[in-house]
Each structure stands twice: as C-alpha cells, then as structure tokens.
Amino acid sequence: MVSFDKFKIWVLCICLVCELGYGFYLPGSYPHKYGVGDFLNVKVNSLTSIDTELPYSYYSLPFCKPEEGVKDSAENLGELLMGDRIENSPYRFKMYTNETEVFLCQTKPLSSDEFKLLKERIDEMYQVNLILDNLPAIRYTKKDNFFLRWTGYPVGIKVQDAYYVFNHLKFTVLVHKFEETNVARVMGTGDGSEVISTVGNEGSDAPGYMVVGFEVVPCSFQHTPDSLKNLKMYGKIPSPIKCDPTTVSMAIKENEPVSFSYEVNFVESDIKWPSRWDAYLKMEGAKVHWFSILNSLMVITFLAGIVLVIFLRTIRRDLARYDELDKEAQAQMNEELSGWKLVVGDVFRAPSNPGLLCAMVGDGVQILGMAVVTIMFAALGFMSPASRGTLITGMLFFYMILGVAAGYVSVRLWRTICCGDHKGWVSVAWKAACFFPGIAFLILTVLNFLLWGSDSTGAIPFSLFVILILLWFCISVPLTMIGGYIGAKAPHIEYPVRTNQIPREIPPQKYPSWLLVLGAGTLPFGTLFIELFFIMSSLWMGRVYYVFGFLLIVMILLVVVCAEVSLVLTYMHLCVEDWKWWWKSFFASGSVAIYIFLYSINYLIFDLKSLSGPVSATLYLGYSLVMVLTIMFATGTVGFLSSFWFVHYLFSSVKLD
C-alpha cells in the first residue's frame, strides 16, 4: 500500500512537470471598467530598434506632445534597468465611441537637425511602442498567406531615396463587456485607484467594458494645407482620410511641417480579460522545446551510465576487495596501490587561492538560488509581462536576500579548507559580497557611459546608480556578512583522511589536464543550446519569452549534467594521481560559459547581421560577458560541490594509512 501511494505521488509529480512545461500566467492587474464615453489615454514607451539595440525617448523625435505637457508614468526599478521610459501621449479615445479624421497637431517646420535625426531613425528601423490599458499596440502584416505579429510600428520608411513618416494611425480597440465575477476570479497587482469594487454595484445596470486588445495600422498620408486651417487638437478634419498601409505619401522635407492624425474603431470581442495577453504570449515551437528537453535527457542518461559504472564496477569492487583482506594483506596491498588510492594523503590538500575559490563558490550559490527562485515564480505566473520590470526587480530582490547563503557557504568552506580555523572569515565573507557584484558593476558602468554618450534611455540615471550602490552596500553586503558569521559558528566539515606534510609529485600526463576541463563544457552546453536561441531572440530581437516552465525544466537538467560531468572528470584526474582537483572541478562544468560566449559571437555575426555601429556591438558583447560570467559562477559551483561530496564520500569509505 505504501509503495502504491509513492507511485501515485510520482505520477502526480510527472504530470505536474509536463503541464508546467507549457507554463501559465496571472494577468498582473485587476480589470478596469470603463463606461461608454470614458476617456482612454494612450501611453508611449521608448523607441526601440533591433538594428542598434539603443532605446531612445519617444519625444526625442518631432512628434505631437500632449496639451498638459509630458509626464512620466510610475516606474519600478526593473523598468528603468530595462531602458523603458513610459510617458503620456496626446492620443486619447472615448470608450466605445468610433472616431475618424481626428487632427492631432502640425509640427513646426523641421530644422536641419530634426530632419537628419528623423532620417537616421527611419534608416535604423526604429519602432514606436504605444500602450493602452497596459496592453502594447500590436500590428499584423501578411507574408506568403501568413499573418505576422509585431509589437509597435515603424517610425517611417525609405522608398527610392525619399523618406516617408507614418503620420496617420488607424487604431482598433477590442473590448469585452465587464463581468462582475471577473474581479473575484482574477488575481493581480493593479492600481488601487482604478480597481472597481464589486460591493454595492450588483444592482447597477450601467454598461461597462474592458479593453482586451489594442491593434494599430500605420499609414503615411499627405494632408492638404487647406483642410488643416484653424484646426485645434482633436478637431475633425473635413476631408476624408484613406488609410492604406501599402502606399506612402507623407514625405518629410527640411523646413516643412509634418501633420499627424488618427482614427479609432471599437470592436466587441469574445476574448475574456484573463486571456487578453494570449496574442502576445502564444507559445510557438513547443515541439522544439520538448526536443531540447529530450536531447538533455539523452546527455544525462549517457553521463549517468558512466557515473554508475564508476561507482558500481570500479569503486565498489575495489572497496569490497580491500575490506575482505586481513590486516597483513591490507598492509601489503597499500604498497601496491595504484590510481586514486595513491593520492589519499594529498586529496584534501588546500588548493591555491583558497579565499578566491570560497568567494566564487559562495557567489555561485547566491546566483543559482536567485535563478531557481525567480524562474519558479515566473513559471507559476507571478511575474506577468503585464507588470513590466517585475522580473528584473524580483531577480535583484532574491539576489540580495540570498547574500546570507553566499556568506554562509563561502565561510564554512573556508573553515573546512583551514581545518576549522576561524581566522580570516571576515575577509572571505567580504570577498563573497563584493567579487561578482564588483565585476558586474564595473562592466555595466563602462557600458552605461557608452549609453550616456549616445543619449539613450537605456542609460541608467545617476540617481538609480546611487540607489543600486546603496542596495549593494546597505542590504546585500550586511546580509552576506551575517551569513558569514553563521558559517563561522557552524561546525566545519571533517576530512576522512589525514593530509601528508610533503605534497606528492604528480606524474607527467599524456595530455594537458586543462584540455579535458575545457572539453567538458560541451556536454552542459549541449543541454541548453536550443533553449538559448529562444532566450537570445527574446533579449535582442524584441520577442516575448514566457515559456518559463520549459526554462525551469532545462535548468534542472543543466544542474544534473554539470554535477555528473564534474564528478566524472574529478574521478579521471584522481585515477592518474592528479590530486589538484579543486579548481578543475569548478571549471569542468563552469567552462560551459566559454561555449555560450562563442555562441553569442556566432549569434551576433549570423542572426544580428543588421546590428550597426561599434557602440551597439560593444553593448552586445558587454552584456553577453556579464551573462556568461553569471552562468560560469552558477555552473562551476554545482560542479565543485558535487565533486567535493564525491571525493569526501569516496575516501570516507576506505581507511588507508
């Protein structure tokens, strides 16, 4: 009966993991009820381009500004770090009220600088990103009988050496009748001032609608000067406007103004509020993700077979044979030892730079813990794309909190290497608190100066720089020191064998040991390179990545592969009497970062061929370097800890003098 209950639990877990692969999300905010005629205000985000990867403010170009002036929307830390700058716009609708030929404004005659800047932004294929009720504007194009989905629309287009701007926008707003039960059913983090209470409204018959879709069709239309005379903002243009996205007519010229207009059409839709993000999060290529997981499982099975052979056929056989002998025969056998048994007096000899190793392992535990917790929350839907910046904000929060784990692991490992000595634990905890964050902060500071020089909104403001430094030294560092104090008080791990005073000479090897260490990274890379393509496309091609369920599964498989690879390589080094396994076990699995960086260069050359300018390429390589360093710390830590456990278990199973 007990075994049957265990079987049911395993079946349930497997079903849960399979379902988790598809993932789901919480809408992220409460539904907003709008009555007929209520104003809907469109917001604008930064202009973006996959050609430069440099975001710019919407109002850096000569566009119409709202009558009340430009105002920043409420932003969180994650939005600022991602380069989002959300501001109000002059586009304004009335709920369920169709409008056509709405005049927005006529700019001043374009100066030479404005004209040149507009041409540059059109050449660099910059996109305008609009937001209505927290939904980005979506655009559909047809190619080979297929509809392609894009977020935003281009600033303009170049046709035969002439530049045209999209100055007329045709909006379609999809609405759904407000249902009171939605408020009770949908979870999220909406703005309290806009939450509609269900209490006391049960008898209300006032019609209400929710925004469930926001589409845009950009057009280039040449307005006649006479039709715009004496028109104010939101006035109706007397002449009809035909919005044809296949033709262009509004050419921009120096010292000539540009006129902007729009139209809006409301369409009642069957889309429910919880499903309104489905158009953005449609998971394409699910079979590819499952293929990635199957590929990883094959690598794991192959490595698990090797580990099984090592444990069952080699180690267990040697130990069983040794235990069957009497003491006299054991003494004789000790003189005839070979392989890993010969390094018994050196296997736990302290490595070179032990303080640095302890700090890197502590940082790796902190990074790995942050990644696991963040991806789990994202897979469970608590970091919805509707709440912009929550993913980055969550990562920062979890990273700071897990400083306790970094301090504890680094200091306890230090005390283990020093055989219980408390001396120097403060220095080790300080290294763990500052080593990886210091490297990342230095790289990001250099990149930020490049962004500042380009006047990009991707540059972190100086005030945010100060906030990040305060978070680092006022929260993360103290928590790491607290963890170090706990680690200093905890008992150190006892070695099962004594270390000789004179180190044993390592015999010459047939091949360099670093060659094996570098080659070992290919196996962990093989488990994630397919998923890596989707992540890179999300980061650099503007695509939404929300299959965190798959990412969680791939990450678990990656951890298993890293542990197995490092364990096998450590055993191979011990068998050839190489007792310097500490750093090699770290870089055996950490070397996957080298292959990821090479893949990043390959992605830059073949997939981001249109990336223009040395600044953009430097930014790409700089961010890629931070990413691979993060992965190296996390995977290296997994490899080291698994090897440490393996070596401790191996030499605690046999007692040699």
Side-chain angles (χ1 to χ4, degrees):
M1 187 66 184
V2 175
S3 60
F4 181 70
D5 290 339
K6 288 183 178 179
F7 174 75
K8 288 194 293 183
I9 292 171
W10 274 108
V11 170
L12 181 63
C13 290
I14 292 170
C15 293
L16 181 63
V17 168
C18 291
E19 189 62 30
L20 189 63
Y22 292 94
F24 60 95
Y25 69 95
L26 303 176
S29 58
Y30 287 103
H32 301 165
K33 177 184 177 182
Y34 297 98
V36 176
D38 287 353
F39 281 110
L40 301 174
N41 296 309
V42 177
K43 297 179 181 179
V44 291
N45 203 343
S46 301
L47 304 173
T48 55
S49 168
I50 60 173
D51 278 14
T52 66
E53 302 296 347
L54 295 171
Y56 289 100
S57 170
Y58 174 82
Y59 292 108
S60 63
L61 294 181
F63 290 140
C64 300
K65 296 183 179 180
E67 293 176 322
E68 65 274 18
V70 178
K71 298 176 183 177
D72 290 336
S73 291
E75 297 173 333
N76 57 43
L77 193 63
E79 280 184 7
L80 291 169
L81 291 173
M82 290 296 291
D84 289 340
R85 296 294 184 273
I86 301 176
E87 299 163 313
N88 60 334
S89 82
Y91 294 102
R92 187 182 68 185
F93 314 144
K94 291 181 181 179
M95 173 56 77
Y96 224 109
T97 305
N98 296 337
E99 296 177 280
T100 57
E101 293 92 30
V102 180
F103 174 71
L104 206 57
C105 80
Q106 187 176 58
T107 66
K108 296 177 182 179
L110 297 177
S111 65
S112 59
D113 290 339
E114 290 174 331
F115 177 65
K116 182 181 177 182
L117 188 61
L118 259 177
K119 290 198 300 180
E120 284 181 5
R121 296 293 180 261
I122 292 172
D123 281 334
E124 292 166 344
M125 299 178 64
Y126 268 86
Q127 303 282 317
V128 179
N129 299 292
L130 305 178
I131 302 169
L132 176 65
D133 194 47
N134 215 24
L135 281 178
I138 202 167
R139 174 172 59 96
Y140 292 96
T141 57
K142 192 174 182 181
K143 183 179 180 181
D144 299 332
N145 297 322
F146 290 98
F147 280 99
L148 301 177
R149 187 174 61 252
W150 311 85
T151 52
Y153 67 91
V155 172
I157 191 172
K158 182 182 179 182
V159 180
Q160 297 178 351
D161 297 329
Y163 290 87
Y164 297 87
V165 68
F166 291 116
N167 63 326
H168 180 81
L169 302 179
K170 181 179 180 181
F171 295 106
T172 301
V173 181
L174 305 180
V175 295
H176 187 82
K177 279 191 176 180
F178 183 82
E179 301 171 6
E180 295 289 351
T181 54
N182 280 345
V183 177
R185 188 172 67 243
V186 178
M187 298 173 60
T189 54
D191 188 345
S193 62
E194 296 178 314
V195 175
I196 308 300
S197 174
T198 60
V199 179
N201 289 341
E202 294 180 0
S204 174
D205 294 328
Y209 294 91
M210 302 174 293
V211 177
V212 293
F214 184 37
E215 300 172 6
V216 63
V217 177
C219 301
S220 179
F221 184 81
Q222 179 68 56
H223 295 280
T224 58
D226 294 338
S227 64
L228 304 179
K229 279 185 178 180
N230 302 322
L231 277 179
K232 294 183 179 180
M233 186 175 284
Y234 307 120
K236 185 174 176 63
I237 301 173
S239 57
I241 298 174
K242 183 181 179 183
C243 182
D244 185 2
T246 60
T247 60
V248 290
S249 57
M250 184 60 219
I252 56 171
K253 297 176 183 177
E254 193 173 342
N255 297 321
E256 288 190 12
V258 179
S259 302
F260 290 89
S261 57
Y262 71 92
E263 59 185 279
V264 59
N265 184 40
F266 286 84
V267 177
E268 195 163 339
S269 171
D270 293 331
I271 299 173
K272 300 289 184 69
W273 168 270
S275 305
R276 68 178 194 155
W277 275 88
D278 287 359
Y280 306 86
L281 305 179
K282 281 182 179 176
M283 188 179 62
E284 299 171 355
K287 291 182 179 179
V288 178
H289 291 283
W290 283 118
F291 174 76
S292 170
I293 291 171
L294 182 63
N295 174 63
S296 304
L297 286 173
M298 290 177 65
V299 174
I300 285 177
T301 305
F302 170 71
L303 288 172
I306 297 176
V307 173
L308 202 64
V309 168
I310 290 173
F311 270 106
L312 296 184
R313 294 191 57 184
T314 309
I315 298 173
R316 291 293 179 117
R317 183 188 61 195
D318 289 350
L319 295 178
R321 177 185 164 199
Y322 187 83
D323 291 338
E324 289 173 0
L325 301 175
D326 55 25
K327 289 185 178 181
E328 185 178 345
Q330 286 182 12
Q332 183 181 356
M333 184 179 177
N334 288 345
E335 298 175 0
E336 302 171 356
L337 290 177
S338 62
W340 58 270
K341 295 177 281 297
L342 281 171
V343 296
V344 63
D346 298 275
V347 70
F348 289 110
R349 188 177 301 281
S352 57
N353 299 315
L356 180 60
L357 177 64
C358 294
M360 292 177 71
V361 171
D363 285 337
V365 168
Q366 188 176 9
I367 293 168
L368 187 65
M370 173 205 69
V372 170
V373 176
T374 304
I375 294 173
M376 281 184 64
F377 272 91
L380 293 172
F382 289 101
M383 293 180 179
S384 166
S387 303
R388 289 175 183 81
T390 53
L391 191 65
I392 300 295
T393 306
M395 288 173 66
L396 280 174
F397 174 77
F398 294 131
Y399 181 82
M400 288 188 298
I401 296 299
L402 287 167
V404 176
Y408 175 82
V409 171
S410 59
V411 170
R412 193 170 182 203
L413 179 60
W414 168 260
R415 291 191 61 233
T416 299
I417 292 174
C418 297
C419 300
D421 189 5
H422 289 79
K423 187 178 178 181
W425 75 265
V426 175
S427 174
V428 171
W430 178 257
K431 285 179 183 176
C434 298
F435 186 64
F436 172 76
I439 295 173
F441 195 80
L442 181 64
I443 296 173
L444 294 176
T445 301
V446 173
L447 298 180
N448 207 57
F449 276 115
L450 292 176
L451 291 167
W452 270 338
S454 304
D455 294 325
S456 170
T457 58
I460 301 174
F462 180 76
S463 58
L464 184 57
F465 245 93
V466 175
I467 291 172
L468 290 174
I469 292 174
L470 289 175
L471 289 174
W472 180 10
F473 285 101
C474 296
I475 298 178
S476 183
V477 171
L479 287 175
T480 307
M481 301 304 289
I482 291 171
Y485 177 77
I486 298 171
K489 294 296 181 182
H492 69 281
I493 301 171
E494 296 280 353
Y495 290 150
V497 293
R498 292 194 305 269
T499 301
N500 296 336
Q501 290 184 349
I502 302 174
R504 178 186 179 84
E505 184 180 354
I506 299 174
Q509 309 296 326
K510 294 181 180 179
Y511 44 82
S513 58
W514 59 264
L515 198 62
L516 261 181
V517 170
L518 292 179
T522 56
L523 290 170
F525 179 73
T527 66
L528 58 79
F529 79 97
I530 296 176
E531 203 66 31
L532 191 62
F533 171 78
F534 291 96
I535 296 171
M536 298 290 279
S537 298
S538 171
L539 290 173
W540 302 108
M541 302 291 284
R543 298 172 186 169
V544 178
Y545 183 90
Y546 211 69
V547 284
F548 288 104
F550 281 117
L551 186 60
L552 180 62
I553 297 171
V554 170
M555 185 176 180
I556 294 170
L557 298 179
L558 175 65
V559 168
V560 175
V561 171
C562 287
E564 292 178 341
V565 163
S566 186
L567 191 149
V568 170
L569 220 69
T570 298
Y571 178 74
M572 291 174 66
H573 281 116
L574 294 178
C575 282
V576 294
E577 303 174 31
D578 185 356
W579 48 266
K580 295 182 178 181
W581 59 272
W582 300 79
W583 281 105
K584 290 170 186 174
S585 65
F586 186 92
F587 287 111
S589 52
S591 62
V592 66
I594 297 173
Y595 298 96
I596 293 175
F597 191 70
L598 292 175
Y599 179 84
S600 301
I601 296 173
N602 173 79
Y603 191 85
L604 172 64
I605 296 171
F606 295 103
D607 292 274
L608 293 177
K609 290 182 282 189
S610 59
L611 198 66
S612 59
V615 174
S616 300
T618 305
L619 287 170
Y620 173 85
L621 292 174
Y623 288 129
S624 298
L625 184 59
V626 174
M627 179 182 71
V628 298
L629 283 174
T630 305
I631 293 172
M632 185 194 74
F633 275 77
T635 54
T637 296
V638 171
F640 173 80
L641 293 178
S642 60
S643 292
F644 183 86
W645 169 84
F646 168 70
V647 173
H648 192 278
Y649 170 80
L650 178 60
F651 285 91
S652 63
S653 301
V654 61
K655 298 190 182 299
L656 297 170
D657 296 327

